[in-house]
Amino acid sequence: MSDILEKTEAIVKKGKALGADEVLATTVFGRYRQTRFSNNQIDITTAWNDYVTDLTLSWNKRLVATQIRNFQNSAKIAEQLFKLAKVSKENPNYGGIASGKFTYSKPTADRKLQELENPSQYVFEAVEAAQKEAGSEVKAGGILFSKYEDVYLVSSEGPVGRDARSAVELSIRAFSQIDASGHGVECCSSLGNFKPSRAGEKAGKIARMAKNPKQAKEGKYDIIFDPLFFGSMLSTWAQMVSAYSIMIKLSVFVDKLGQKVAPEAVTLRDKPAEYSVNNRIFDDEGFPIQENLFIERGILKTYLHNTSTAKIFKTNTTGNAGLVQPQPWSIEMDAGHLSKDQLFDEMKNGLYLTNTWYTRFQNYATGDFSTIPRDGIFLIENGEIKQSWKDLRLSDNILKLMGNIAGISKERQQVHWWLEADPPSLSPYVLVKDIQMTRPK
Amino acid sequence: MEKDIVNFALDYAQSKAVDYAEARAQNTKHEEIVVKNGILDAYVSTVDSGLCVRILAEGGLGFASTNKLSKDEVRAIVDMAYKSAKLARRQDEIAFAEEKGVKIKWDVEQKKKIEDVSPEEKIDELMGVDKSLATQEIKIPGRISVCEIDMAEKYFVNSEGSEISSFLPKIAAFAFITVVENGKPEQAFKQFGRSGGWEAFEEWKMTETLLHEANVLQRLIKEGKSVKPGKMDLVCGTEVTGIASHESCGHPIEADRILGREMSQAGRSFIYQGGPYWIGSQIGSDIVTIVDDPTVKNSYGYYKYDDEGIGARRRFLYKNGKIHEFLHNRETAAKLGTRSNGSSRSTNYDREAIVRMASTFLLPGDWTEEEIIADVKHGIYMKSFTEWNIDDRRFNQRYVGREAYMIENGELTTQVTRPTIETSTKTWWSTVDAISKKIDFDAATCGKGDPMQGIPVYTGGPVIRLKEVYVK
């Protein structure tokens, strides 16, 4: 057992010795690096090292949590936390944490991501690719982000595990004109597959096509969503299948288990596989990660659970703890039967939307919302891009958007961008029929 | 606060060939109490402390942070920040606008010290709010309320001789309710926030506010009428004026956006060099003056010195309808040939300070709210909003009313369901023709930066009237 695992275990033993019913400690040594760039130049490179142990304990169904930095004052902090538990209030819904001895997959983190040798080279590679597509006058900005986390989990209920999680991401937005831009992302869990030029090329290509945009026209449209845009929708649906969202009505999926919510072509799963930038082998209770089909052939099959919410809903945990709030890790939409080109070829009249931001709801229970497409917005006629547009807003209903899915591409891309497409997803090009678009007056 | 290690970080940074260096430490006691549908879900209590260094060398910037406060670790992060700065290899070198060093201590007084309030009392207060909601005749099956307390102690030193110590306590609460009537749901979110002590919790009147919201939602389901789209006068309550001031004045005026530094995430601005709008351009009617002011006493966005050690002051963003002043940090100020106006903020020691708002609000006018309504023949009074958004140039925006009423011949008549205005920044501020004397503030968390830095702000202002705008 490593020194860090021993220290983490000692905290758990201390908690038990104080009289806690259940104690869970997770130590993360995280190394995070980010290079920010704009106007084709590097603005700042930031590095942050984080040494933290999350400590959670329960006593008589009272749940309390704290953090310990670099194992300093561990015993004292555990004592203070136990005192807090004693004056806290009982949570009758608290159903405990995962118990038992589990076997985990082997972590597959890429050690090269512990310290990137020369992060600037990846940035310049992406910027050059954008310039190659859209011309040397293009102005590009974005981030290069890498993480490497060593994770040590010890639970008084049995789970003991060690994980290593790595990711590298590049997000680039290229402007060919002040109102013409394109966005590309490259998201990988290891450096081997990481090709920043792919993101730069895509951003540059969209920026070139988006030049000289015309004022958009309001109306109902059939829309092809780029994987980056659709990643935002996938993350919204995934957050809405957390059992916590169901309990506080922040979801369109309340009381819809077993019901048809989408066409048969739609299958969505939560799967933090080794290639995901949010990869992991156990959840925050130490329960082994599993693949959860939450929408299978259009039917809502399950909510995402931790041990407590699973007991409330009379089912089993899905390995999505969050100790208070179950959460999706990494979403996958199953590929369709059409190629991306076929999707475009078959569109007689509609829009191609490449990215979005600022998704906000009038009502999470009914799903009425709007979101603002950004970067390339294109009018398509007879399978061809006819015109670049600007100033348009998607103003409709998120459940209707799911129900109107009419085509899914074979091609899929892992996308993750800021808070707009988070958690990450494996997202295809998707055709959705009859969606309301509005514009300012 | 371990000041010695912070001073050591600065000394070690200055031993290198730096043009500028700073070290900033933060120790934050954080508490979070979550009550969901009448049950205390969890009580989180943490102390987070660490430090960062930021170095300007060879025209590049490097930043590194750690929460391991040993000399070896601090040397390692300084080395990393220095190396990063040099690797930037910029064509145009970054410079900071000139400033003199400052030595000062500041804090915010607590009338009722947070540390003197027991965890039991805090729990009881929050659960009391939930209980009041649960025992009404109105069905509120979805209720979540969260109380967050942050007591931040900071120590900032830089290579120009600044040495600033501060203590800033803040408390906040969030509530989200779902009312169901005849099987139909309507929802409301409210945020409360203030700098100072526990006295804020009592001043907010959370229960009263949320019960009002619940009643509004119930009436909306039972009696709400839809709006016949068309041009009409739109009277905006203080909450709506506040969000519009924040989104379509405060954000586009941030100099880092204007210069493109946020181009990939939070976006750019309709104000840009060589564009149709710049300082002096008309953007609103003559009576529109919007300020951003970190010194509003006990505001949620309060600070006395920013995270670059610059003294805070009121900034006039739009003045008499014209674009007047950008929000600056030292880097953007140097680029545009001016001085920082103290707008550089960071959420924690492990985040770079960037240009942010504090309390953004429209200055009051000379009408009363009643006079404004009485002067409307046909229109809508949008007191509060639900869905809203704005494009990343901050020009195309939309606000959907939560509590809203028809106005006919100077009288409030029926409650209306989700009236919507979707318009440009220019149209919004140019059509303002009446402003109330009374102003009010709301607490909000402003999102910007990558990684995201949600920072406390106030949004606010008076009741205003937009003349003859399209509402649907």
Side-chain angles (χ1 to χ4, degrees):
Chain A
M1 186 183 269
S2 77
D3 178 45
I4 299 164
L5 204 57
E6 278 176 15
K7 284 179 177 171
T8 307
E9 189 181 33
I11 295 171
V12 173
K13 283 181 177 165
K14 173 71 183 176
K16 284 298 280 184
L18 288 166
D21 296 328
E22 293 155 318
V23 188
L24 181 69
T26 306
T27 300
V28 179
F29 280 13
R31 279 138 288 186
Y32 311 94
R33 308 288 180 257
Q34 188 192 61
T35 299
R36 289 185 58 135
F37 60 103
S38 67
N39 297 314
N40 307 337
Q41 296 195 78
I42 289 169
D43 291 320
I44 192 167
T45 296
T46 62
W48 55 103
N49 294 343
D50 203 18
Y51 306 81
V52 64
T53 304
D54 285 309
L55 172 62
T56 306
L57 62 82
S58 71
W59 178 79
N60 282 353
K61 290 201 159 206
R62 287 143 174 89
L63 187 67
V64 290
T66 191
Q67 289 185 326
I68 296 165
R69 308 279 154 182
N70 195 31
F71 296 114
Q72 283 184 332
N73 303 319
S74 298
K76 190 179 162 196
I77 292 171
E79 283 164 16
Q80 286 169 343
L81 188 66
F82 187 62
K83 276 185 196 164
L84 183 62
K86 287 205 148 184
V87 298
S88 189
K89 290 253 193 288
E90 183 183 339
N91 174 354
N93 284 343
Y94 177 67
I97 52 178
S99 63
K101 290 283 181 194
F102 301 111
T103 307
Y104 304 116
S105 316
K106 200 177 167 197
T108 55
D110 183 354
R111 291 200 171 274
K112 286 183 194 143
L113 290 171
Q114 286 180 332
E115 204 62 69
L116 278 180
E117 266 306 305
N118 185 3
S120 311
Q121 76 186 35
Y122 300 106
V123 171
F124 294 134
E125 194 181 320
V127 171
E128 279 164 21
Q131 288 178 320
K132 201 172 167 186
E133 279 290 332
S136 57
E137 71 281 8
V138 83
K139 289 193 186 324
I143 58 116
L144 169 76
F145 172 76
S146 67
K147 79 166 182 186
Y148 192 96
E149 293 174 335
D150 285 304
V151 183
Y152 306 83
L153 179 142
V154 180
S155 167
S156 63
E157 303 313 291
V160 176
R162 184 171 175 180
D163 197 359
R165 300 165 185 167
S166 66
V168 58
E169 300 179 38
L170 186 129
S171 167
I172 177 170
R173 192 176 189 206
F175 285 80
S176 57
Q177 295 170 330
I178 192 74
D179 54 359
S181 58
H183 200 134
V185 296
E186 177 76 3
C187 309
C188 296
S189 61
S190 66
L191 211 48
N193 304 318
F194 185 61
K195 290 191 176 57
S197 60
R198 274 195 292 230
E201 193 180 315
K202 179 160 185 181
K205 190 177 172 188
I206 296 170
R208 173 169 47 77
M209 295 192 304
K211 275 185 174 177
N212 306 316
K214 305 280 184 270
Q215 282 296 338
K217 288 179 187 151
E218 195 164 294
K220 284 196 171 174
Y221 291 95
D222 295 347
I223 296 169
I224 293 175
F225 291 96
D226 189 88
L228 189 57
F229 191 127
F230 213 71
S232 293
M233 302 298 102
L234 292 174
S235 66
T236 300
W237 288 319
Q239 283 155 3
M240 284 184 166
V241 292
S242 162
Y244 203 84
S245 301
I246 301 297
M247 290 163 81
I248 57 171
K249 318 287 182 203
L250 266 168
S251 175
V252 291
F253 297 121
V254 175
D255 297 329
K256 287 194 169 62
L257 273 185
Q259 292 182 25
K260 186 174 166 61
V261 293
E264 205 176 318
V266 176
T267 292
L268 301 181
R269 58 190 82 213
D270 182 43
K271 184 182 174 189
E274 67 283 356
Y275 48 80
S276 166
V277 292
N278 204 20
N279 60 84
R280 61 196 57 235
I281 57 175
F282 47 74
D283 72 1
D284 291 358
E285 292 177 5
F287 191 81
I289 284 303
Q290 61 190 44
E291 187 177 323
N292 292 304
L293 262 77
F294 56 90
I295 294 178
E296 188 177 15
R297 298 166 68 85
I299 307 292
L300 180 66
K301 301 297 279 191
T302 185
Y303 300 137
L304 301 179
H305 289 291
N306 60 18
T307 299
S308 282
T309 63
K311 283 193 178 158
I312 295 164
F313 284 80
K314 297 185 173 53
T315 183
N316 299 315
T317 178
T318 55
N320 288 92
L323 287 168
V324 173
Q325 192 169 335
Q327 55 191 305
W329 304 118
S330 192
I331 313 310
E332 295 192 5
M333 184 171 201
D334 281 11
H337 302 297
L338 298 170
S339 70
K340 171 198 164 192
D341 289 343
Q342 282 173 309
L343 272 185
F344 279 85
D345 287 346
E346 288 177 15
M347 180 172 263
K348 295 278 173 259
N349 190 299
L351 299 176
Y352 167 42
L353 303 181
T354 61
N355 193 15
T356 195
W357 91 317
Y358 231 129
T359 301
R360 291 290 185 277
F361 282 79
Q362 290 172 26
N363 188 324
Y364 290 87
T366 61
D368 299 331
F369 83 116
S370 75
T371 186
I372 306 195
R374 58 191 249 176
D375 306 311
I377 300 171
F378 301 106
L379 174 70
I380 302 175
E381 285 177 8
N382 299 318
E384 300 284 331
I385 288 177
K386 278 287 172 200
Q387 211 168 54
S388 165
W389 278 5
K390 64 180 177 181
D391 293 336
L392 207 53
R393 178 179 274 102
L394 191 161
S395 311
D396 213 304
N397 181 283
I398 196 88
L399 205 52
K400 177 187 154 192
L401 197 146
M402 182 180 260
N404 287 13
I405 290 173
I408 300 168
S409 74
K410 291 176 192 168
E411 299 91 333
R412 294 182 299 169
Q413 186 196 352
Q414 184 174 183
V415 295
H416 182 228
W417 172 59
W418 208 28
L419 295 187
E420 301 301 331
D422 180 56
S425 57
L426 197 56
S427 174
Y429 290 84
V430 178
L431 168 66
V432 183
K433 297 272 191 185
D434 202 27
I435 294 297
Q436 182 67 50
M437 304 299 293
T438 58
R439 62 176 307 269
K441 287 190 171 130
Chain B
M1 178 68 70
E2 297 176 58
K3 290 184 176 176
D4 288 349
I5 195 77
V6 188
N7 292 329
F8 171 78
L10 180 65
D11 290 344
Y12 182 62
Q14 285 187 284
S15 71
K16 298 173 181 297
V18 299
D19 296 315
Y20 170 86
E22 70 189 22
R24 174 165 52 87
Q26 184 166 334
N27 179 310
T28 307
K29 287 183 187 167
H30 174 79
E31 287 178 72
E32 189 171 330
I33 307 161
V34 184
V35 174
K36 182 185 84 226
N37 295 335
I39 288 166
L40 177 67
D41 250 357
Y43 198 132
V44 178
S45 172
T46 62
V47 179
D48 187 9
S49 45
L51 69 84
C52 66
V53 290
R54 189 170 64 142
I55 285 172
L56 182 62
E58 297 181 16
L61 269 176
F63 173 101
S65 72
T66 184
N67 60 2
K68 192 176 187 179
L69 301 179
S70 70
K71 284 192 173 178
D72 282 348
E73 176 75 4
V74 167
R75 275 192 207 97
I77 65 155
V78 171
D79 289 343
M80 215 162 0
Y82 180 62
K83 184 181 164 195
S84 299
K86 291 204 303 178
L87 275 174
R89 295 196 296 270
R90 289 179 62 92
Q91 288 159 359
D92 62 329
E93 296 191 348
I94 291 171
F96 284 177
E98 199 177 318
E99 290 293 340
K100 286 182 180 159
V102 176
K103 290 187 196 297
I104 200 163
K105 283 184 184 176
W106 64 271
D107 63 10
V108 167
E109 188 192 356
Q110 302 179 72
K111 283 183 193 155
K112 187 171 182 181
K113 284 195 170 180
I114 291 166
E115 281 171 321
D116 293 343
V117 182
S118 68
E120 298 97 303
E121 195 178 333
K122 291 170 190 160
I123 294 167
D124 287 346
E125 289 269 19
L126 197 62
M127 291 195 75
V129 172
D130 184 88
K131 195 174 174 187
S132 299
L133 295 174
T135 51
Q136 299 297 313
E137 281 184 17
I138 302 174
K139 272 178 68 185
I140 315 174
R143 306 181 309 279
I144 182 159
S145 39
V146 180
C147 178
E148 284 189 355
I149 298 163
D150 284 288
M151 292 189 283
E153 194 185 357
K154 290 187 188 180
Y155 180 59
F156 172 90
V157 287
N158 72 11
S159 53
E160 294 160 346
S162 283
E163 193 179 317
I164 302 174
S165 303
S166 64
F167 175 67
L168 179 56
K170 284 186 176 169
I171 74 167
F174 315 85
F176 181 81
I177 57 170
T178 300
V179 168
V180 176
E181 186 73 31
N182 303 328
K184 290 182 184 167
E186 283 290 347
Q187 301 180 320
F189 172 80
K190 284 298 287 182
Q191 183 170 353
F192 309 83
R194 192 180 182 281
S195 58
W198 187 254
E199 66 276 5
F201 204 95
E202 288 141 22
E203 289 170 14
W204 288 333
K205 298 189 171 65
M206 249 180 106
T207 303
E208 203 177 309
T209 305
L210 293 171
L211 282 176
H212 171 78
E213 290 297 334
N215 275 295
V216 166
L217 297 180
Q218 188 192 41
R219 278 203 315 271
L220 190 61
I221 300 168
K222 287 164 84 170
E223 303 163 12
K225 301 275 188 289
S226 54
V227 178
K228 189 180 170 193
K231 279 204 164 185
M232 62 189 82
D233 291 354
L234 178 69
V235 177
C236 300
T238 60
E239 185 182 302
V240 182
T241 306
I243 190 71
S245 301
H246 178 93
E247 301 290 9
S248 66
C249 171
H251 274 305
I253 218 92
E254 292 162 344
D256 54 349
R257 279 174 176 276
I258 290 165
L259 291 164
R261 200 181 192 262
E262 287 286 324
M263 58 167 52
S264 175
Q265 294 89 12
R268 300 175 84 161
S269 172
F270 66 87
I271 304 164
Y272 56 92
Q273 287 168 313
Y277 296 97
W278 196 250
I279 286 175
S281 302
Q282 196 80 33
I283 190 70
S285 61
D286 292 347
I287 58 172
V288 168
T289 294
I290 301 175
V291 300
D292 185 76
D293 191 348
T295 67
V296 175
K297 204 177 171 195
N298 291 121
S299 61
Y300 195 39
Y302 181 86
Y303 59 91
K304 199 165 181 179
Y305 281 80
D306 76 357
D307 286 320
E308 289 184 327
I310 311 300
R313 66 164 172 85
R314 175 174 282 200
R315 288 74 62 111
F316 284 77
L317 310 182
Y318 294 166
K319 193 171 184 183
N320 301 327
K322 290 192 170 89
I323 296 169
H324 185 76
E325 181 180 9
F326 301 153
L327 292 173
H328 280 294
N329 63 12
R330 294 184 66 181
E331 182 185 345
T332 61
K335 277 201 177 118
L336 293 175
T338 184
R339 301 277 301 275
S340 168
N341 48 22
S343 309
S344 196
R345 301 178 69 188
S346 159
T347 51
N348 205 350
Y349 65 86
D350 58 355
R351 295 291 180 262
E352 172 202 16
I354 54 174
V355 176
R356 306 306 297 261
M357 284 174 264
S359 291
T360 313
F361 55 101
L362 179 70
L363 293 185
D366 50 11
W367 295 63
T368 65
E369 181 180 345
E370 294 75 21
E371 284 169 345
I372 293 175
I373 292 164
D375 198 47
V376 173
K377 280 210 163 33
H378 171 67
I380 299 274
Y381 185 15
M382 189 190 285
K383 286 193 84 167
S384 58
F385 67 95
T386 161
E387 173 206 312
W388 89 104
N389 49 31
I390 186 163
D391 70 358
D392 65 315
R393 293 184 312 129
R394 303 280 162 180
F395 207 68
N396 162 6
Q397 64 219 280
R398 163 172 157 128
Y399 306 101
V400 179
R402 185 171 77 244
E403 181 180 5
Y405 304 90
M406 283 301 301
I407 309 173
E408 297 294 348
N409 299 316
E411 302 274 340
L412 294 180
T413 57
T414 52
Q415 194 167 344
V416 289
T417 307
R418 300 181 194 170
T420 302
I421 178 164
E422 196 166 342
T423 192
S424 72
T425 294
K426 175 92 175 170
T427 302
W428 180 280
W429 293 116
S430 297
T431 53
V432 173
D433 77 337
I435 300 176
S436 78
K437 294 173 192 170
K438 195 182 159 197
I439 68 170
D440 205 356
F441 295 99
D442 281 284
T445 303
C446 172
K448 188 179 170 186
D450 190 347
M452 176 57 78
Q453 298 193 55
I455 210 141
V457 294
Y458 257 4
T459 64
V463 173
I464 60 173
R465 180 175 64 194
L466 276 55
K467 194 76 183 163
E468 284 289 297
V469 289
Y470 188 82
V471 180
K472 55 190 173 185

